[in-house]
């Protein structure tokens, strides 16, 4: 029985006791376990019972899934796997990687009742020298074992070849054997898995079933065992009864004092049962095969480890590249926080929404997310939702069929189809009309588009990154933006701070643009004077990084060859504080009184410049509208 307990999410504290059938988890009403958190898909994942274990499978959800096993985080999002067998105590992390829904799995698998079989013969490890001596006394046994040993020894270091040679050797030395199965322990030695099966008639591995009862007796006896007339002796074992096995041998594969595998030999073809001589042969052969299998497994583990090292080196190189973001300039605390956010979200499938004022670099960040991630080999396509009317924007995004409207003289692919496998950046998403928002929501939910005039939909795999210089929450409150689409887009929000909130980055940006445009214009400029840089840092930059870039480009053009940029080279709007004290002429008094005179003058001039518009005045001064109201009230303005 499986019990899921919600540790984190809107249903935190609930427990779901589930039957051994297929169940679904998700936000939809049809889900067996309905989790109403908005960032989950309607049918997010499924859990089903198969071969004595529960399997978790992600149903290609929008935000993916993860299994937390101890300190390990195992992604189940298609990057490496879509499904994973569950263990008792595993935690399922579903949806948004930042705040996932977490469920802990409690698995209770009842033991199958079975009668304790009577072992007719056993061969312990300490008896091996005597067993080998008896076999050496028979020339035919000796020759057969020699050929079997030669076959296993020459099989190389590929595990599959060693297992195949071992199975064939058992068939050679035990004429009555009809089926062979080799079971190996996993790394934690708590689960034995059939890894190779063979039959004398060449039956496929899928058609062979192993007996867990025989395996259990080998582990309990810590010896090779023989059970004859198995349907009678092992009447409680369903797998033996179903296969009509007449006798069975189980021989351990030793690794020092530890059993790391078992060879199971069955006779399903006749009523002849194995005898003790057959048990001797399998015991000796198992001891010879143990070393070969051990060596092959070690080589296999080394190869896996080598591949993991290569992948880790590749990952570290990629992570270093991701953290550089060479095109995004900034060392302020706010920008470092954004870089940290980007490293977490780049290789997820989470939908990203970027908010920021005009000119803060929203498209630059979106392109960095694309080109530093796994989709870098596909296209990054940008669309400005404010640049086209509704009907043309729909055609631009989804494409159209010939004759679907006036002027549609041929089929046209939309940007979603062009960006298939890559990233689509939707700038100024708040300007999209409500009807078009509904169609975009369908793409996010279903992963399919329908071109204008088409009768059939087509699937697309596109990562959406949206951006706006408005507050989507306010747009939702005013009824200008769909709330369900807001939740779909706002899975991982990123706010880009305006330049006035990260003034320490202004010198870095100014020098970066200076290098860029001196190379582009092919003009040598010595740099910025301290006075010019002080005024650049002191400006509020309502146009943000874009305004600064344009200013530096103009400065490179107007500055003398080889000279420094001086304050007089700056634009008038930046130099407007120059001579400010002389123009104000504050009366003598305390420092506080003179500063208040300066502040009153600046407020009055800013209001006059913006024709009394308090919102624009507050933006220019770098304060909130509420802060402006307080200052105006203070001075009775």
């Amino acid at each position: 029985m499986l019990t899921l307990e919600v540790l984190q999410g809107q249903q935190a504290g609930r427990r779901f006791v589930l039957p051994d059938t297929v169940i679904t988890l998700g936000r939809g009403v049809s889900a067996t376990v309905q989790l109403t958190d908005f960032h989950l898909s309607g049918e997010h994942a499924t859990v089903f019972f198969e071969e004595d274990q529960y399997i978790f499978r992600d149903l290609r959800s929008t935000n993916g899934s993860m299994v937390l096993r101890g300190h390990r985080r195992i992604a189940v999002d298609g990057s490496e796997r879509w499904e994973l067998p569950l263990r008792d105590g595993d935690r399922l992390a579903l949806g948004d990687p930042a705040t996932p829904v977490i469920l802990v799995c409690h698995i209770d698998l009842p033991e199958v009742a079975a009668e304790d079989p009577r072992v007719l013969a056993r061969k312990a490890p300490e008896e091996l020298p005597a067993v080998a001596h008896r076999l050496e006394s028979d020339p035919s046994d000796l020759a057969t074992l020699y050929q079997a040993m030669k076959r296993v020894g020459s099989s190389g270091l590929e595990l599959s070849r060693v297992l195949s040679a071992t199975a064939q050797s058992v068939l050679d030395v035990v004429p009555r054997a009809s089926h062979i199965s080799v079971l190996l322990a996993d790394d934690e030695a708590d689960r034995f898995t059939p890894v190779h099966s063979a039959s004398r008639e060449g039956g496929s591995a899928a058609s062979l079933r192993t007996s867990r009862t025989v395996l259990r007796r080998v582990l309990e006896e810590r010896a090779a065992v023989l059970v004859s007339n198995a349907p009678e002796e092992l009447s409680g074992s369903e797998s033996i009864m179903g296969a009509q096995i007449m006798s069975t041998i189980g021989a351990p594969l030793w690794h020092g004092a530890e059993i790391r595998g078992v060879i199971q030999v069955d006779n399903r073809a006749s009523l002849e049962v194995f005898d003790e001589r057959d048990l001797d042969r399998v015991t000796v052969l198992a001891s010879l095969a143990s070393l070969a299998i051990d060596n092959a497994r070690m080589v296999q583990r080394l190869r896996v480890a080598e591949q993991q090292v290569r992948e880790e080196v590749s990952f570290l190189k990629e992570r270093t590249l991701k953290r550089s973001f060479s095109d995004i300039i900034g060392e302020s605390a706010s920008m470092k926080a954004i870089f940290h956010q980007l490293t977490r979200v780049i290789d997820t499938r989470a939908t990203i929404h970027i908010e920021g004022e005009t000119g803060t670099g929203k498209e630059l960040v979106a392109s960095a997310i694309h080109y530093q991630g796994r989709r870098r080999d596909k296209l990054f396509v940008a669309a400005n939702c404010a640049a086209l009317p509704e009907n043309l924007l729909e055609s631009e995004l989804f494409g159209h069929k010939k004759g679907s409207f006036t002027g549609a003289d041929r089929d046209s692919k939309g940007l979603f189809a062009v960006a298939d496998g890559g990233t689509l950046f939707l700038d100024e998403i708040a300007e999209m009309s409500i009807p078009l928002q509904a169609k975009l929501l369908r793409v996010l939910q279903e992963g399919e588009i329908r071109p204008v005039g088409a009768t059939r939909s087509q699937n697309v795999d596109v990562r959406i990154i949206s951006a706006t210089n408005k507050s989507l929450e306010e747009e939702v409150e005013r009824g200008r933006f769909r709330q369900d689409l807001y939740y779909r887009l706002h899975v991982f929000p990123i706010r880009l701070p305006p330049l006035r909130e990260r003034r320490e980055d202004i010198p870095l940006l100014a020098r970066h643009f200076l290098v860029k445009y001196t190379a582009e214009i092919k003009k040598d400029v010595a740099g910025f004077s301290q006075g010019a840089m002080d005024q650049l840092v002191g400006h509020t930059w309502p146009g943000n990084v874009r305004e600064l870039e344009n200013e530096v480009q103009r400065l490179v053009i107007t500055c003398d060859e080889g000279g420094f940029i001086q304050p007089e080279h700056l634009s008038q709007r930046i130099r407007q504080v120059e001579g400010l004290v002389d123009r104000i002429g504050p009366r003598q008094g305390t420092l506080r009184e003179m500063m208040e005179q300066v502040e009153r003058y600046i407020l009055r001039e800013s209001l006059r410049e913006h024709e009394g518009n308090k919102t624009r005045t507050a933006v220019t001064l770098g304060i909130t509208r509420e802060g402006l109201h307080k200052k105006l009230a203070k001075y009775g303005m």
Side-chain angles (χ1 to χ4, degrees):
M1 181 175 293
L2 172 66
T3 303
L4 295 179
E5 180 181 355
V6 184
L7 299 182
Q8 177 175 300
Q10 292 185 6
Q11 273 77 38
R14 288 198 60 185
R15 293 172 65 91
F16 299 88
V17 181
L18 304 163
D20 296 345
T21 56
V22 178
I23 64 169
T24 55
L25 301 90
R27 194 164 39 83
V29 294
S30 61
T32 313
V33 177
Q34 187 179 12
L35 304 165
T36 56
D37 301 75
F38 71 88
H39 51 85
L40 299 187
S41 298
E43 289 190 349
H44 194 97
T46 183
V47 179
F48 56 92
F49 192 73
E50 182 178 274
E51 295 183 354
D52 300 330
Q53 60 185 341
Y54 287 97
I55 309 292
F56 173 80
R57 177 181 294 163
D58 185 277
L59 297 176
R60 300 180 182 271
S61 61
T62 301
N63 296 315
S65 306
M66 186 172 292
V67 174
L68 310 178
R69 180 170 292 165
H71 297 293
R72 294 179 61 195
R73 302 170 65 88
I74 307 171
V76 189
D77 58 2
S79 56
E80 296 183 8
R81 61 183 68 79
W82 284 112
E83 64 181 39
L84 185 75
L86 292 176
R87 297 181 184 177
D88 184 43
D90 280 352
R91 288 163 293 152
L92 308 179
L94 312 179
D96 180 8
T99 56
V101 176
I102 299 180
L103 306 94
V104 64
C105 304
H106 302 290
I107 299 175
D108 181 19
L109 295 178
E111 294 290 333
V112 177
E115 295 181 13
D116 196 29
R118 182 167 61 91
V119 177
L120 300 185
R122 64 187 297 277
K123 300 295 178 184
E126 57 271 18
E127 298 178 64
L128 185 60
V131 169
H133 180 72
R134 284 198 300 272
L135 293 175
E136 287 173 359
S137 63
D138 188 328
S140 62
D141 275 339
L142 189 61
T144 304
L145 282 171
Y146 171 75
Q147 292 299 326
M149 179 179 174
K150 186 177 178 181
R151 180 195 292 273
V152 174
S154 62
S155 58
L157 293 173
E158 287 289 338
L159 182 60
S160 59
R161 295 184 61 184
V162 173
L163 294 174
S164 178
T166 299
Q168 188 58 51
S169 297
V170 173
L171 292 173
D172 290 343
V173 301
V174 185
R176 283 185 279 245
S178 64
H179 295 79
I180 312 295
S181 295
V182 181
L183 299 88
L184 296 180
D186 59 18
D187 290 338
E188 299 175 8
D190 62 353
R191 184 181 181 89
F192 284 76
T193 304
V195 295
H196 185 82
S197 299
S199 72
R200 196 172 293 279
E201 294 77 18
S204 66
S207 67
L208 304 179
R209 297 172 60 191
T210 58
S211 170
R212 294 288 170 178
T213 308
V214 173
L215 169 65
R216 179 168 56 84
R217 289 313 303 260
V218 171
L219 297 177
E220 289 174 353
E221 297 283 341
R222 293 185 62 78
V225 297
L226 164 63
V227 178
S228 295
N229 197 15
E232 177 181 317
E233 300 297 336
L234 302 182
S235 57
S237 175
E238 182 183 349
S239 59
I240 291 181
M241 292 295 292
Q244 291 298 304
I245 302 170
M246 303 312 295
S247 56
T248 305
I249 293 173
L253 297 169
W254 292 94
H255 176 78
E258 184 181 0
I259 297 177
R260 299 292 295 169
V262 172
I263 298 177
Q264 180 178 310
V265 187
D266 301 328
N267 175 13
R268 310 183 188 187
S270 69
L271 294 179
E272 294 184 83
V273 297
F274 295 133
D275 56 23
E276 193 167 353
R277 195 78 171 179
D278 294 322
L279 178 61
D280 288 346
R281 296 185 186 113
V282 176
T283 301
V284 171
L285 187 57
S287 69
L288 298 174
S290 294
L291 181 60
I293 293 174
D294 251 0
N295 290 339
R297 294 190 75 180
M298 183 178 296
V299 170
Q300 187 180 57
R301 283 193 291 268
L302 288 173
R303 287 173 179 168
V304 171
E306 182 183 15
Q307 181 62 29
Q308 288 176 340
V309 169
R310 288 176 181 168
E311 291 175 355
E312 287 175 6
V313 169
S314 176
F315 170 75
L316 290 173
K317 286 181 178 178
E318 288 186 5
R319 187 172 66 174
T320 301
L321 178 63
K322 290 171 188 172
R323 287 183 172 174
S324 65
F325 299 111
S326 58
D327 290 332
I328 305 175
I329 308 300
E331 294 183 356
S332 60
S334 58
M335 291 306 296
K336 287 179 179 178
I338 288 174
F339 294 151
H340 182 66
Q341 283 182 293
L342 295 179
T343 57
R344 288 178 175 273
V345 78
I346 276 178
D347 278 332
T348 69
R349 295 186 300 152
T351 304
I352 299 171
H353 179 69
I354 305 172
E355 287 188 355
E357 295 178 5
T358 299
T360 49
K362 296 185 287 293
E363 184 170 347
L364 185 63
V365 170
S367 64
I369 292 170
H370 170 80
Y371 288 111
Q372 304 294 339
R374 295 192 185 105
R375 295 176 179 258
R376 67 172 68 90
D377 295 329
K378 300 295 183 179
L379 291 178
F380 172 80
V381 181
N384 190 328
C385 299
L388 295 172
E390 177 185 347
N391 57 338
L392 293 181
L393 181 59
E394 180 180 4
S395 173
E396 180 81 356
L397 293 177
F398 305 112
H400 62 258
K401 304 297 287 184
K402 179 179 178 180
S404 57
F405 55 86
T406 303
D409 55 354
R410 57 186 173 84
D411 289 355
S412 176
K413 290 178 68 174
L415 295 183
F416 272 99
V418 172
D420 193 17
T423 304
L424 179 59
F425 174 60
L426 298 176
D427 199 8
E428 303 301 339
I429 189 74
E431 304 301 326
M432 183 179 287
S433 67
I434 294 292
L436 202 52
Q437 290 176 28
K439 295 182 179 180
L440 176 59
L441 180 63
R442 177 177 175 81
V443 178
L444 292 172
Q445 289 177 332
E446 308 297 335
E448 58 183 26
I449 60 171
R450 180 176 294 178
V452 178
T455 57
R456 298 178 60 186
S457 299
Q458 63 184 81
N459 293 326
V460 291
D461 174 22
V462 177
R463 185 179 195 177
I464 299 295
I465 301 177
S466 60
T468 181
N469 58 10
K470 298 182 179 180
S471 169
L472 280 188
E473 288 185 72
E474 294 179 7
E475 295 297 299
V476 170
E477 291 174 1
R478 294 169 183 170
R480 295 199 290 254
F481 202 85
R482 292 178 61 106
Q483 188 177 45
D484 46 2
L485 179 58
Y486 166 80
Y487 288 137
R488 280 286 183 175
L489 295 175
H490 222 253
V491 173
F492 197 95
I494 295 175
R495 177 186 176 270
L496 298 184
L499 199 51
R500 61 182 175 274
E501 292 182 9
R502 54 182 188 110
R503 294 183 185 275
E504 58 266 48
D505 289 337
I506 291 177
L508 293 173
L509 289 162
R511 295 185 185 106
H512 170 77
F513 294 134
L514 183 66
V515 171
K516 175 182 177 180
Y517 287 109
T518 51
E520 181 177 307
I521 300 173
K522 294 181 173 57
K523 184 177 182 180
D524 182 27
V525 177
F528 296 91
S529 69
Q530 187 60 52
M533 184 60 74
D534 289 345
Q535 294 206 25
L536 289 175
V537 172
H539 187 52
T540 55
W541 300 106
N544 294 294
V545 179
R546 185 184 296 120
E547 181 186 0
L548 175 60
E549 181 176 6
N550 293 340
E551 176 68 14
V552 173
Q553 184 182 21
R554 190 194 63 78
L555 289 170
V556 172
I557 294 172
T558 58
C559 185
D560 295 334
E561 179 79 19
F564 282 89
I565 296 173
Q566 302 294 339
E568 58 265 29
H569 295 138
L570 302 176
S571 300
Q572 180 61 38
R573 67 183 184 281
I574 299 173
R575 291 190 293 116
Q576 61 186 352
V577 296
E578 199 173 340
L580 179 62
V581 175
D582 293 335
R583 293 200 301 274
I584 298 173
R587 296 185 302 276
Q588 291 296 318
T590 65
L591 176 61
R592 179 177 180 179
E593 290 171 343
M594 289 190 290
M595 290 299 295
E596 286 179 348
Q597 294 175 53
V598 172
E599 189 173 42
R600 185 184 292 108
Y601 175 87
I602 293 173
L603 290 170
R604 184 173 61 251
E605 289 300 306
S606 294
L607 283 169
R608 182 184 58 77
E609 182 181 345
H610 293 293
E611 299 177 347
N613 188 305
K614 295 179 181 178
T615 299
R616 292 206 301 270
T617 299
V619 170
T620 300
L621 294 176
I623 59 177
T624 65
R625 183 181 171 89
E626 291 74 16
L628 177 62
H629 277 294
K630 290 180 181 179
K631 290 184 179 296
L632 293 177
K634 174 183 176 182
Y635 298 118
M637 297 174 65

